Amino acid sequence: MKILLALIKKEIKQILRDPSSIVIAFILPLISFLIYMYGVNLDSVKVTIGIKNDDNSPEVATLVKSFGHSKYVNSINFDNMEDIKTAIVRSKIKGAVVIPNDFSTKLSRGQGVNKGADLLIITDGSEVNTANYVQSYANMIANQWLITSKYKMHLPRPLINTEVRTWYNPDLNSHYFIVPGSIAITMTLIGILLTSLVIAREWERGTMEALLSTKVRVIHIVLGKYIPYFILGMVSMAFNVFLCVCIFQIPFKGSYLLLFLISGIFLFTSLGIGLLISTVLKNQFMASMVAMSLGFMPALMLSGLMFPINSMPVFFQYLTAIIPPRYYISFIESEFMAGGVNEIRLANAFYLTVLGLILFVAVYKKTQMRLEK
Amino acid sequence: MIRDFLRRVIALMKKEFITIWNDPKSRAIIVMMPIMQLLIFSNAATMEVRNIDTVVLDRCQSVESRELLSRFKNSSRFRNFYYVYNEKEFQKELDTQKVQIGINIPNDFSRNIKSKRGANVLVVSDGRQTNSAAIGAGYATQIISGYNAELTGNTGTQINPTVRNWFNPNLEYKWYILTVIVAMLSLVSTLILTALSIARERELGTFDQLIVSPLSSFEILLGKSIPPLIIAMSLTMIMVGIVIAFFHVPFNGSIILFFISILISLMAIVGVGLFISAICNTQQQAILSVMTFMMPAVLLSGFISPIEDMPIGWQYLTYLNPVRFFMVLSRGIFLKGMEIEDVITNLIPLIIIAAITLTLASRTFKRKLG
Amino acid sequence: MYTVTIKNLTKKFGSTVAIDNLSLNIEKGKITGLIGADGAGKTTLLRTIVGLLLPNEGEINVLGFNPATEKDKLLEGYTKDGKIHLPLGYMPQKFGLYEDLTVIENLRLYADLKGVTHDFDKMLEFTTLAPFQDRLAGALSGGMKQKLGLACTLLGNPEFLLLDEPSVGVDPISRRDLIKMVREMITPETTVLWSTAYLDEAHNFDTAVVIDKGKVIYEGKPHDLAPTPQEFENKVIDLMGGYNKEESLIAQNYDYHAPDVELTVEADNLEKRYGNFYAVKNNTFKIKKGEIFGLLGPNGAGKSTSFKMMCGLARPTSGTARIMEIDIKKNPERARSNLGYMAQKFSLYGSLTVKENLDFFALAYGISILKKDKKVNEVIEVFGLKEYENTKAEELPLGLKQRLSMAAALIHNPPVLFLDEPTSGVDVLTRRDFWNHITSLAKKGVTILVTTHFMDEAEYCDRISLFYKGETIAVGTPTELKQQAGANDMETAFINLIKESEK
């Protein structure tokens, strides 16, 4: 016990003396929060589109105007297709709407054989997300205009009204989603990237040989690394939650006790990944490369934070089962937005515990007590 | 004079190569890790919402409600349907994330359609997955209005939009994400390779020997930046090759312009990496600084949300961000066939960033002698 | 009574045999010196005894335990007479001090890891580390680090001490302290196995074991072999195959083509100040072409700082230095191109092989590609590195690392050589060889600035500057200094002069 305590104290001193671990635990989360809150806009993306109007009827001019007044788009008027093309290549506009010269004629014809008027919507397909926005915004604006225009009498009355409700996040405020997600990323960074270096460092600097010639046992070495970084992670977690809830006013519906408990389990699992990498590779360069590739990047790409897991091909859906952040993100989002859903808490905590224990055993088995295997 | 210069730089480059390249384990990690990630992420990462699981509460149980649901079943977006018989079960399926969308059809649905009074359908989406919720609900609305149009018999006037998606006719998400992933992976590799190079020498005490040798700061800078540049460049080209050969993404631009743009982008990133390395004393500091640079740089690169859509102050901030220009160039030339003048406009900031960071790096490691 | 019995031990790394069918008994209560050429297998033997490496064949018994299977028991303390005793204490060559922890924090850590009480007063007093308790271990001088490492090893009064070259890089005064520390901290029952490159040190021990190529070639009382340290050294050299002085190949192939200047190295009022503390104060000297100038002084006197300022690694607070009349402050790169530098701490590339390291330094110092291979091969030959040509530098034993560093510093025929403790941890044969090259090079006109802790080596210098607490306290030829101190040998002169300046 005393040995363990000594190792923990040593590690904590080392953490406190190196500003970089403090930066990763406290400054980087703050920067990320600021960017998510005030920098990037993930909600109603306002896109810039070009408009080319070939129809000079006064009624169509109001359509062009309604593009100009929409809160979803900025519009720029163009006279020829060449300019539109250049502007799209330069990413000045993300798409364009072309109103053909027979637009109003076709509309006033109303019911008949040639139902409706054509409208050309061009998008910049190289950015698929914005292309989708351009499509649906252009459609929406045109249709809304149609309802208020003089052609409205030709419109059929809808039989079914769809009412869309979004539960847990009625305004679809992306901050509520991305900020808790960012906590998960910070936890992953501390758990995997920071700790992937700490055992490798002892081998590189030669302190391991001295440690191995004392009473230190495998369990001391293993816990002596788990515990200090666990503490650092949990303190950072508390700081993150404080920022999140008190400063940035992200509503929290769940239980703080369970939030910290399950975050603790997740941290335990991430630490397992980081320490396993460090123990096996014993070289900081390789360890950091692997920690990035097997730890951090999957946490970003495969965890469901950025890309929905359900949409992945089946094989990759199974693959995400071994990625701990996947469970944590599912839990933390639900805990923040929905509150007490016991099934979600239990299922995710269970998987995380199983993964964490497997990793712990692996770290334990791989820790060498000699200079050779 | 020039021969001495070359000899020294080549010597250092050779040494750098041996350190990172000779160990088979290290070599495997440098090459295989990014390629493995490319193959996995490109297949897995999609913003398209598919395989939507749905809970259905059909209180009406009429021909019309079944007709409506069959439209959903025929859609490729929707996968499993769970039928429940009360609000409580409905809520539970959504609460536990078993489904992403709920459809609630009231018992007067059929009656209201027949009497042409207008019927209501409630679509509930799970806001915890904010993005997919909006998209999924959008699909549901589309299907319902499609059914609506069938019922009204498609009469009346309407606007028929024709959509043309330039450079990516079917809006394949993969085309887009592949260029982003390639850029991200080369960013990560380049940064780690360079950021650790000087910090490692400092930590292990070999940097003194290097400074004492006749190698000038400029020569050290060259010797330290060219090997990672070559490795990162080859890696990027391999990845681009994979993207073209295996994922069949059409390459629309000029290969030469693309090559030059990637090279200059990577140079700017190498500059950032070396600058980080020059100010750090240990490898831990270097790798964590890389992270501290990379997170904001990626978030503010236009990948997460368009730059034009940011507050104006933040937009100016992105001019300092090499990743921003890197992304614009790689996507622009690859998919959009960007022309030379546009390429140059984007290259100028990168050249400035490279010049500044590289100068700072060489200044800094000299000053750190104490 | 034997503390250690080893029967037919063999240890291989891949196809290399490090320990070859070795049998050895180490007597309880004795200090046994382990002597051997670089790469003879000393460190491997110690590591195998501690259980850090597993033997391929043979048996080892340490205090009744088999280290291969019962390593834990050897490191587990037990209580006797109300005090905790440890069976085994091992000090690795590169002792694992945490450089980002302070002196006292390192002591506390290792005390806790060994399960002994925090009673450091005596230890701190012995090591004279008491005033530096709160200094980071990374900021200590080389000698002080060794003392701290030894202090950590001595915690818990182990029954059996294994010390892997504890006195490498330690000045004569501190070296005496170290030996005194060990002698006073141990009981008559304590067994010590002490590997060393200093034969005067080994001559004082109860038993000497000389190993060569993984085999024991001599085992017995040092005094039985020779009555005086000097003769002992010669006898050991004979055992190791004998040293026959040949003409230095390096010097032979050396051609001096630098501009002919009279004063090749000048230090002009060099000063380095940290706050109110002067690491180096008012340091002025001039070295003539072809002179061997020795910088002597205890650890922490400011020798390395002076060295670093002289070659532009550290910026002087005031004053400057000139190499071949080029100002190091104004023109660091040009000044350095005239310089061969060997740092105190091994600073070649661990992940590169011997040959790759030399290739790099050859090219970096401007040897043309065509001549490079010839030069590298020549240096490998001369420094006896042929066998290790393709070994990674980090895997070399200490002595061979030093040889490699020396080879790298010499490869480009520099007119000026700065050698900071070039012979630390190098075996006696190689040391003689080193000095043969150094003196022959000086005859060819190479100027050499050297620091050393081997007082016999100081005799090779043309002039010596004695450095203490950042200041020069005496300059002169070895004979002059001895006269000034009224001593017969350099070691006594060194100690006397320092005591005098203390007054």
Side-chain angles (χ1 to χ4, degrees):
Chain A
M1 203 53 213
K2 219 172 165 186
I3 293 179
L4 184 57
L5 221 62
L7 284 174
I8 293 172
K9 251 170 41 195
K10 173 216 104 186
E11 205 73 37
I12 288 179
K13 277 184 196 136
Q14 287 184 307
I15 293 173
L16 292 178
R17 267 171 214 168
D18 191 330
S20 63
S21 28
I22 304 301
V23 168
I24 213 80
F26 302 103
I27 312 291
L28 185 59
L30 182 64
I31 297 175
S32 311
F33 283 157
L34 287 174
I35 292 176
Y36 289 128
M37 294 300 296
Y38 307 114
V40 297
N41 180 357
L42 301 163
D43 296 325
S44 57
V45 178
K46 197 167 184 176
V47 290
T48 309
I49 60 170
I51 295 186
K52 180 169 169 281
N53 184 9
D54 298 341
D55 187 334
N56 347 340
S57 83
E59 193 62 28
V60 176
T62 62
L63 172 60
V64 176
K65 244 185 218 150
S66 47
F67 272 99
H69 292 151
S70 165
K71 61 174 179 173
Y72 299 107
V73 298
N74 292 320
S75 65
I76 300 172
N77 293 322
F78 284 86
D79 293 330
N80 63 64
M81 288 304 278
E82 270 313 299
D83 292 349
I84 289 181
K85 169 122 200 209
T86 322
I88 288 183
V89 171
R90 289 191 178 158
S91 294
K92 290 272 178 265
I93 55 173
K94 302 292 182 189
V97 174
V98 179
I99 307 170
N101 52 18
D102 58 355
F103 189 72
S104 52
T105 332
K106 278 194 177 167
L107 277 179
S108 15
R109 218 181 287 155
Q111 285 152 299
V113 218
N114 291 320
K115 285 172 296 174
D118 297 323
L119 183 69
L120 178 62
I121 300 171
I122 296 166
T123 71
D124 177 354
S126 73
E127 284 176 68
V128 176
N129 281 336
T130 33
N132 276 320
Y133 282 119
V134 170
Q135 245 183 63
S136 55
Y137 289 160
N139 254 320
M140 185 182 70
I141 294 169
N143 279 312
Q144 263 166 8
W145 166 82
L146 193 60
I147 298 169
T148 54
S149 70
K150 69 171 184 186
Y151 309 106
K152 66 182 172 208
M153 68 248 189
H154 302 300
L155 285 173
R157 269 189 57 206
L159 280 176
I160 308 173
N161 298 312
T162 318
E163 185 192 349
V164 176
R165 270 187 222 161
T166 312
W167 283 2
Y168 320 112
N169 186 0
D171 305 327
L172 275 175
N173 185 334
S174 67
H175 291 158
Y176 297 177
F177 170 71
I178 200 75
V179 172
S182 168
I183 297 183
I185 295 297
T186 306
M187 296 284 98
T188 313
L189 277 180
I190 294 177
I192 301 180
L193 194 62
L194 183 55
T195 49
S196 70
L197 304 172
V198 295
I199 293 182
R201 190 171 57 197
E202 303 238 11
W203 283 103
E204 270 186 18
R205 293 189 185 166
T207 45
M208 205 43 131
E209 188 174 355
L211 277 192
L212 294 184
S213 16
T214 64
K215 267 169 74 176
V216 167
R217 300 284 163 86
V218 179
I219 191 74
H220 297 137
I221 295 185
V222 173
L223 289 181
K225 295 288 179 194
Y226 264 97
I227 295 172
Y229 290 95
F230 185 81
I231 296 173
L232 176 72
M234 287 319 272
V235 173
S236 164
M237 170 81 196
F239 175 74
N240 270 289
V241 172
F242 168 78
L243 282 183
C244 218
V245 177
C246 301
I247 308 293
F248 297 116
Q249 306 284 330
I250 303 292
F252 178 73
K253 300 238 177 69
S255 132
Y256 283 106
L257 181 73
L258 284 167
L259 175 68
F260 279 91
L261 185 76
I262 296 175
S263 298
I265 301 176
F266 171 65
L267 195 55
F268 167 72
T269 314
S270 309
L271 286 171
I273 300 180
L275 291 175
L276 187 64
I277 292 172
S278 204
T279 310
V280 172
L281 290 174
K282 298 199 191 93
N283 170 303
Q284 294 188 75
F285 165 67
M286 289 195 255
S288 53
M289 206 75 176
V290 173
M292 259 318 194
S293 317
L294 296 185
F296 179 70
M297 292 295 281
L300 217 57
M301 312 287 287
L302 302 178
S303 66
L305 181 66
M306 288 170 66
F307 305 103
I309 293 175
N310 260 3
S311 306
M312 297 175 188
V314 180
F315 170 76
F316 296 97
Q317 290 192 35
Y318 284 119
L319 193 69
T320 63
I322 55 165
I323 295 173
R326 174 218 155 127
Y327 302 105
Y328 185 57
I329 285 185
S330 153
F331 161 75
I332 196 169
E333 300 291 4
S334 179
E335 199 65 18
F336 262 84
M337 289 191 253
V341 184
N342 284 326
E343 288 86 349
I344 288 188
R345 288 168 172 168
L346 231 111
N348 289 310
F350 171 76
Y351 289 121
L352 283 174
T353 313
V354 171
L355 283 175
L357 288 175
I358 293 173
L359 285 161
F360 183 83
V361 171
V363 173
Y364 190 92
K365 292 265 181 223
K366 284 279 174 191
T367 301
Q368 265 172 243
M369 290 313 277
R370 298 177 201 284
L371 297 177
E372 56 183 353
K373 273 175 201 136
Chain B
M1 212 38 213
I2 190 83
R3 266 174 54 203
D4 284 348
F5 166 79
L6 280 178
R7 199 146 55 208
R8 287 196 288 263
V9 173
I10 289 169
L12 183 57
M13 279 167 49
K14 223 173 114 191
K15 185 228 108 192
E16 291 292 314
F17 262 117
I18 296 172
T19 346
I20 37 186
W21 201 246
N22 251 25
D23 182 352
K25 238 199 292 182
S26 153
R27 201 161 48 210
I29 286 172
I30 294 174
V31 180
M32 294 320 293
M33 284 290 161
I35 291 178
M36 186 197 76
Q37 289 179 77
L38 175 68
L39 295 179
I40 293 178
F41 296 158
S42 54
N43 278 302
T46 173
M47 282 286 219
E48 288 166 46
V49 177
R50 276 188 295 243
N51 303 330
I52 304 172
D53 293 333
T54 313
V55 57
V56 179
L57 175 56
D58 181 2
R59 290 178 193 277
C60 186
Q61 300 283 357
S62 59
V63 181
E64 286 80 5
S65 69
R66 258 169 253 141
E67 270 298 308
L68 175 63
L69 290 173
S70 75
R71 299 292 184 287
F72 275 92
K73 278 179 211 157
N74 291 333
S75 156
S76 58
R77 309 270 181 196
F78 291 82
R79 184 173 57 181
N80 297 326
F81 294 86
Y82 301 92
Y83 297 91
V84 295
Y85 302 97
N86 57 52
E87 298 278 350
K88 215 178 140 201
E89 283 175 279
F90 185 79
Q91 168 150 12
K92 190 167 177 199
E93 301 286 304
L94 275 155
D95 271 348
T96 55
Q97 292 181 341
K98 202 169 154 192
V99 298
Q100 293 83 49
I101 294 282
I103 302 171
N104 189 338
I105 304 173
N107 49 21
D108 57 2
F109 181 71
S110 157
R111 207 173 338 127
N112 284 338
I113 288 180
K114 283 178 188 141
S115 64
K116 306 224 184 253
R117 246 187 319 204
N120 287 316
V121 178
L122 175 65
V123 171
V124 178
S125 66
D126 180 354
R128 286 170 290 189
Q129 291 282 331
T130 310
N131 252 325
S132 347
I135 299 172
Y139 292 145
T141 317
Q142 258 176 35
I143 291 174
I144 296 169
S145 39
Y147 181 58
N148 178 54
E150 272 179 53
L151 288 175
T152 52
N154 264 342
T155 54
T157 194
Q158 65 186 54
I159 296 175
N160 302 325
T162 319
V163 178
R164 270 190 224 143
N165 301 306
W166 284 0
F167 318 119
N168 184 359
N170 299 319
L171 275 194
E172 291 252 14
Y173 194 75
K174 212 169 259 177
W175 291 15
Y176 163 69
I177 199 69
L178 273 168
T179 55
V180 174
I181 290 174
V182 169
M184 287 251 282
L185 292 176
S186 13
L187 174 73
V188 171
S189 300
T190 317
L191 276 176
I192 296 185
L193 279 173
T194 46
L196 290 187
S197 75
I198 297 175
R200 178 172 45 216
E201 295 218 22
R202 277 235 175 77
E203 186 170 335
L204 301 176
T206 52
F207 201 56
D208 280 3
Q209 195 75 49
L210 205 59
I211 299 239
V212 175
S213 72
L215 284 153
S216 67
S217 298
F218 179 63
E219 289 162 351
I220 295 180
L221 196 70
L222 275 187
K224 285 264 170 202
S225 46
I226 294 173
L229 199 59
I230 293 178
I231 292 179
M233 198 66 207
S234 324
L235 199 59
T236 314
M237 288 302 145
I238 293 173
M239 291 196 284
V240 168
I242 292 177
V243 168
I244 295 172
F246 293 104
F247 293 101
H248 307 294
V249 182
F251 186 89
N252 289 328
S254 137
I255 278 279
I256 297 166
L257 272 184
F258 185 70
F259 190 86
I260 294 170
S261 307
I262 299 288
L263 189 70
I264 293 177
S265 307
L266 290 176
M267 244 161 71
I269 294 164
V270 164
V272 173
L274 278 183
F275 175 61
I276 289 175
S277 203
I279 56 173
C280 289
N281 286 322
T282 62
Q283 296 179 72
Q284 179 187 323
Q285 286 173 2
I287 195 82
L288 296 184
S289 308
V290 163
M291 212 52 234
T292 314
F293 162 77
M294 213 171 72
M295 284 277 273
V298 170
L299 291 178
L300 298 173
S301 67
F303 161 50
I304 307 270
S305 88
I307 292 169
E308 304 80 47
D309 207 30
M310 293 174 189
I312 193 82
W314 292 88
Q315 288 192 33
Y316 283 118
L317 200 64
T318 63
Y319 282 105
L320 302 174
N321 181 5
V323 186
R324 171 204 161 143
F325 300 103
F326 185 26
M327 295 263 188
V328 168
L329 283 168
S330 59
R331 196 167 53 227
I333 301 176
F334 202 118
L335 295 175
K336 298 203 275 188
M338 219 185 219
E339 298 287 343
I340 186 142
E341 54 263 53
D342 300 323
V343 171
I344 289 172
T345 347
N346 280 292
L347 279 181
I348 289 168
L350 280 172
I351 292 170
I352 296 173
I353 293 169
I356 293 175
T357 47
L358 288 169
T359 318
L360 278 177
S362 74
R363 284 275 168 83
T364 313
F365 65 66
K366 255 178 153 181
R367 194 174 305 138
K368 276 213 79 160
L369 293 177
Chain C
M1 262 304 267
Y2 295 120
T3 301
V4 181
T5 52
I6 301 174
K7 263 188 221 141
N8 306 90
L9 176 72
T10 299
K11 174 74 199 167
K12 291 181 203 154
F13 296 105
S15 58
T16 335
V17 182
I19 308 264
D20 189 3
N21 198 19
L22 177 143
S23 298
L24 178 69
N25 296 326
I26 294 167
E27 247 180 298
K28 190 177 159 78
K30 296 274 162 68
I31 300 186
T32 304
L34 188 59
I35 307 160
D38 305 327
K42 288 172 295 188
T43 299
T44 307
L45 181 60
L46 291 182
R47 282 176 172 171
T48 317
I49 293 176
V50 181
L52 289 171
L53 292 177
L54 297 173
N56 293 90
E57 279 164 49
E59 282 168 30
I60 310 179
N61 184 309
V62 183
L63 300 163
F65 298 112
N66 177 0
T69 52
E70 298 169 303
K71 170 172 165 261
D72 292 346
K73 290 185 182 150
L74 282 172
L75 302 168
E76 186 70 49
Y78 56 89
T79 318
K80 203 171 86 181
D81 312 326
K83 267 183 93 177
I84 295 163
H85 291 265
L86 289 176
L88 189 141
Y90 167 56
M91 178 176 175
Q93 205 169 69
K94 190 179 164 193
F95 187 81
L97 292 173
Y98 287 92
E99 305 216 329
D100 42 3
L101 297 187
T102 64
V103 169
I104 193 81
E105 283 166 353
N106 267 295
L107 276 170
R108 282 195 200 125
L109 171 67
Y110 279 100
D112 287 338
L113 295 185
K114 293 176 178 204
V116 299
T117 50
H118 288 202
D119 185 12
F120 309 126
D121 293 346
K122 199 172 153 202
M123 203 68 102
L124 285 168
E125 193 189 318
F126 264 122
T127 48
T128 63
L129 281 166
F132 307 109
Q133 279 186 51
D134 296 319
R135 192 180 283 193
L136 291 183
L140 292 178
S141 70
M144 296 221 267
K145 275 186 197 161
Q146 291 299 99
K147 281 188 189 171
L148 179 56
L150 184 59
C152 291
T153 313
L154 285 171
L155 290 167
N157 309 310
E159 267 177 74
F160 177 30
L161 265 179
L162 294 102
L163 311 173
D164 196 357
E165 310 216 19
S167 40
V168 165
V170 178
D171 67 68
I173 299 180
S174 308
R175 212 143 56 82
R176 286 188 184 183
D177 291 347
L178 279 182
I179 299 175
K180 211 169 89 189
M181 227 169 107
V182 173
R183 289 214 189 261
E184 287 187 31
M185 300 294 279
I186 62 176
T187 64
E189 272 84 55
T190 313
T191 315
V192 181
L193 183 57
W194 183 311
S195 112
T196 182
Y198 292 83
L199 292 175
D200 52 340
E201 205 168 82
H203 190 251
N204 270 323
F205 295 152
D206 303 316
T207 317
V209 174
V210 183
I211 65 172
D212 193 38
K213 297 194 178 85
K215 285 191 166 119
V216 176
I217 53 171
Y218 176 79
E219 190 184 354
K221 290 200 172 85
H223 283 270
D224 290 352
L225 199 64
T228 68
Q230 191 50 48
E231 284 171 65
F232 179 66
E233 184 167 317
N234 291 333
K235 285 276 188 206
V236 171
I237 288 173
D238 285 344
L239 281 171
M240 283 156 55
Y243 177 67
N244 29 2
K245 189 170 167 177
E246 288 164 359
E247 206 177 328
S248 160
L249 268 175
I250 298 178
Q252 222 173 44
N253 294 334
Y254 182 91
D255 55 311
Y256 190 91
H257 45 63
D260 201 30
V261 294
E262 201 194 335
L263 294 173
T264 44
V265 179
E266 291 166 276
D268 192 359
N269 261 315
L270 271 184
E271 270 186 3
K272 182 78 183 174
R273 199 176 61 215
Y274 298 101
N276 288 325
F277 169 73
Y278 280 90
V280 174
K281 201 173 173 184
N282 194 16
N283 191 11
T284 305
F285 54 81
K286 291 178 166 51
I287 311 177
K288 286 196 292 271
K289 183 186 159 196
E291 202 175 13
I292 305 178
F293 192 82
L295 221 51
L296 259 56
N299 297 119
K303 295 186 307 275
S304 287
T305 313
S306 291
F307 246 83
K308 284 188 175 162
M309 287 192 290
M310 302 275 309
C311 52
L313 276 176
R315 209 176 295 270
T317 316
S318 66
T320 190
R322 278 180 294 277
I323 295 164
M324 302 301 286
E325 296 180 339
I326 302 164
D327 194 306
I328 188 78
K329 255 173 143 176
K330 287 185 196 137
N331 239 325
E333 274 124 39
R334 257 184 65 216
R336 276 185 214 133
S337 63
N338 290 308
L339 193 71
Y341 173 69
M342 180 173 166
Q344 194 180 66
K345 191 176 159 195
F346 178 71
S347 55
L348 301 186
Y349 295 97
S351 53
L352 268 63
T353 66
V354 168
K355 198 166 179 323
E356 286 163 350
N357 263 300
L358 291 172
D359 276 350
F360 169 61
F361 283 103
L363 290 175
Y365 277 96
I367 292 171
S368 72
I369 295 177
L370 297 175
K371 289 188 194 147
K372 182 207 75 186
D373 286 339
K374 188 172 157 273
K375 188 75 198 171
V376 167
N377 285 332
E378 181 187 302
V379 167
I380 285 178
E381 200 67 49
V382 169
F383 281 89
L385 292 165
K386 190 81 200 151
E387 205 183 323
Y388 303 95
E389 203 174 59
N390 296 318
T391 310
K392 278 191 187 174
E394 64 194 355
E395 287 160 10
L396 291 177
L398 181 65
L400 284 166
K401 278 184 184 159
Q402 291 294 96
R403 276 197 222 173
L404 176 60
S405 307
M406 176 97 161
L410 273 170
I411 199 157
H412 64 294
N413 285 348
V416 177
L417 267 180
F418 280 14
L419 309 172
D420 198 358
E421 298 189 22
T423 50
S424 278
V426 176
D427 73 51
V428 54
L429 270 174
T430 316
R431 263 168 47 213
R432 291 211 172 169
D433 215 31
F434 266 20
W435 280 100
N436 180 26
H437 295 309
I438 291 173
T439 47
S440 313
L441 280 170
K443 277 187 198 125
K444 283 237 165 180
V446 180
T447 312
I448 290 146
L449 179 67
V450 64
T451 66
T452 180
H453 288 313
F454 291 93
M455 287 301 136
D456 54 334
E457 292 182 356
E459 305 270 2
Y460 291 110
C461 298
D462 296 318
R463 273 194 308 150
I464 289 169
S465 163
L466 193 58
F467 223 62
Y468 187 56
K469 290 194 174 159
E471 287 184 85
T472 311
I473 56 170
V475 193
T477 63
T479 330
E480 281 167 9
L481 288 187
K482 278 185 276 187
Q483 272 170 3
Q484 194 182 333
N488 286 328
D489 60 296
M490 265 321 285
E491 185 155 345
T492 326
F494 178 85
I495 292 164
N496 288 355
L497 284 169
I498 282 175
K499 275 187 191 149
E500 215 165 283
S501 81
E502 287 269 73
K503 281 172 196 164

